[in-house]
Amino acid sequence: MIFTELEISDVRFPTSRSLDGSDAMNPDPDYSAAYVVLRTDVGDGHEGHGFAFTIGRGNDVQAAAIASLRPYVVGRPVATVLADLGGFWRELVHDSQLRWLGPEKGVMHMAIAAVVNALWDLRAKREGLPVWRLLSRLSPEELVDLVDFRYLDDALTREEALQLLRAAQPGRAEREEHLLRAGYPAYTTSPGWLGYDDEKLRRLCKEAVADGFGQIKLKVGADLADDVRRMTIARQACGPDFPIAVDANQRWDVPTAIRWMRELARFDPHWIEEPTSPDDLLGHATIARELAPMRVATGEHVANRVVFKQLLQLDAISYLQIDATRVAGVNENVAILLLAAKFGVPVCPHAGGVGLCELVQHLAMFDYVAVSGEMTDRVIEYVDHLHEHFVDPVVIRDGRYVAPVAPGFSTTIRPRTLAEYAYPHGRVWSGAAPAEEAVGGTPEPGRPGPEMAS
Amino acid sequence: MIFTELEISDVRFPTSRSLDGSDAMNPDPDYSAAYVVLRTDVGDGHEGHGFAFTIGRGNDVQAAAIASLRPYVVGRPVATVLADLGGFWRELVHDSQLRWLGPEKGVMHMAIAAVVNALWDLRAKREGLPVWRLLSRLSPEELVDLVDFRYLDDALTREEALQLLRAAQPGRAEREEHLLRAGYPAYTTSPGWLGYDDEKLRRLCKEAVADGFGQIKLKVGADLADDVRRMTIARQACGPDFPIAVDANQRWDVPTAIRWMRELARFDPHWIEEPTSPDDLLGHATIARELAPMRVATGEHVANRVVFKQLLQLDAISYLQIDATRVAGVNENVAILLLAAKFGVPVCPHAGGVGLCELVQHLAMFDYVAVSGEMTDRVIEYVDHLHEHFVDPVVIRDGRYVAPVAPGFSTTIRPRTLAEYAYPHGRVWSGAAPAEEAVGGTPEPGRPGPEMAS
């Protein structure tokens, strides 16, 4: 029983056509997926679905990178690969020739994410479990076998990881039950797009609170006077103690970040996200030190576990924001969750874009059940966008992610969407569909769109 | 007068077929180039040639990334683009959608390198100068305009860069003359491949000294007892004061690097290169601190100027190894040379692979003329491999790079090579040429090949 096919689609949503919002770093994203379907000759009807998320141009490059991994999958025995996903991960990431293209970063690393996540989707479907429950039932030994500790040893050894996981074993079942009952807290970025007028900002802030969200996030960084005015409104609308995070999307250099956020400190932002380049670890540390006790968050553009390790070693972040498709899939995120647990830093996953909410909920829930064992001071980002294209979309109730129960990784996009949004020949791109329909409904007049992947 | 064509070739040299050497991280590189030719309708016969270097699999992904940049070049006015290569660089690197695929790292960043370097080749050919002399004749203002200071300000401002360049203006002409007369010191990695037997190592060490090279480099990291024995031989053969660098090719984690190099310290290695992950800046700093006064070198896999900035801020490296196609071409390397000069760290470029020697000599020579003004304690790597495929190959005389005088960037590969080594349909790959001929000559019996790009 072997893998017979690794099918790739270039799927793009023309979010830039009808949505005029976004921020100065990202004026016109077309949320896209370089999408993978793995097929086998097992005959059980199960496929593995996964993708890398991009924001438009270059999605074809991402697809080409995934195609270069085809020989590592097609023809291989299904059971053997799925039984040793740690070994498979190492094989892909440490391929000596492909490694040159990173190493462990950018297009090639995200391609590995797409394939690895598709394998997890398949494995979970075969075992009849959602990925979060599948991971949560693995033994500590099985979990550390998923992780590549190369370059991590000075911060976290395999033995330390085992101890962490063993310490979290008691209570796994109760926490799983708790998640199925109560879900996981979400926060919403919806009120905070830069382009909203003040009245709309005020209204959406109040709605977010009324809808039960425990936190909101505002985009900042384009104009300081605007940011001060918008934070004043948001603080008034949400109340003095409501967590309001702000996000600069890498807009600033280090001195600017410090200067700017000193002006916004009086509004007590819950965190400042991506104040500068995601590669500038020392910059993040300097910003965190200068602005303390203000908290710094980052992660959606952090290339790999080695970079996260250093952000933790430097005490540069108070919240670690994992991304489901930036690093090399589930396995690397297990490593990052373990690092965060070791350093006692809460994980608040990045989501938005297309399908990132669907994926990352599984990782946060697994973290709660089997790694950190904590839900306090943790939230998963939520953006209400493009979920209708998924077979098993996220469900938000009372400001919380409802725990998914369908087997798999919630990665499967509807076949009709795959056909209509195929780039450049799908109906949506060849001109047959109007823009409003193309992005999944008529946007509210004047409603700016999400930026980047939030 | 516009750019009419951006032609891409996937060129691979089957170096893994007949050369059995290399190291444990890179057992079988097929040195490759994702190669770009820019054509115009100017009618002066000039083309711009550039490439990204890879080591085989994934060279097609690299080519696809370059193809995604075609719309930024084809149709654009030649004179306008060449007159503002700083602006063009920013446009490519900060394209909001493509940026998501890095940002500023990996396949997409190397694609920008290929195109930017091709533009510099074209500009230099039009001006009738080799790139190093073209750059060396730009004013300090023109040079800083090439550089993107975003994310650098906390280490180097535009004004500081201007001051550095102005301070180096006196003596530019003398240093240019000196280079034309005396060339630039080279070091050779040829004696040090892991697979050599002891007698061959001894002989090649002696030959390198006799040939006038001022330094050699040995691969280490596979087996400590072997390394001790080989260093003993090399030290005996070269003499007590001859610089012998060692290179671990990212093989170790931090504790292993420290332990291993303490054992080799008694041989007084000139530097330890790539002791661990290129992303582990703190790891490099720890290794440098623990092993001081031993010197640490790195750079061939450092993703961009922001990462180099931090290596310098951390005092983690004593030698900075620029690479011509890893970061986004000439412009980013100008930024990195300025950073190195600000921090007083000598630049010793990485070379080898295919064409890296050809490119990087221009950058080192420009640094000597117009940036650092220094040649002391600086060497350019040299590996004697694949130069015969270039129209204007490097020339080594008495252990020094002879300054190139032909207009351009020495990037142009012979048309016959482009045809025969085209992957997968060129004569070499379709099976019509024997392996020995394919790699450019019968290898010496038992001679292991170069690893990675040295």
Side-chain angles (χ1 to χ4, degrees), chain B residues 172-185:
Chain B
R172 274 190 183 191
E174 290 78 359
R175 288 192 293 272
E176 196 172 322
E177 283 309 310
H178 179 71
L179 277 177
L180 289 168
R181 243 187 0 259
Y184 198 108

Side-chain angles (χ1 to χ4, degrees), chain B residues 19 66 79 100 125 211-212 247 261 263 269 279 292 401 446:
Chain B
L19 301 174
I66 296 170
W100 188 269
K125 284 171 178 167
D211 287 346
D247 183 356
M261 287 310 298
E263 296 295 321
D279 296 329
Y401 277 80

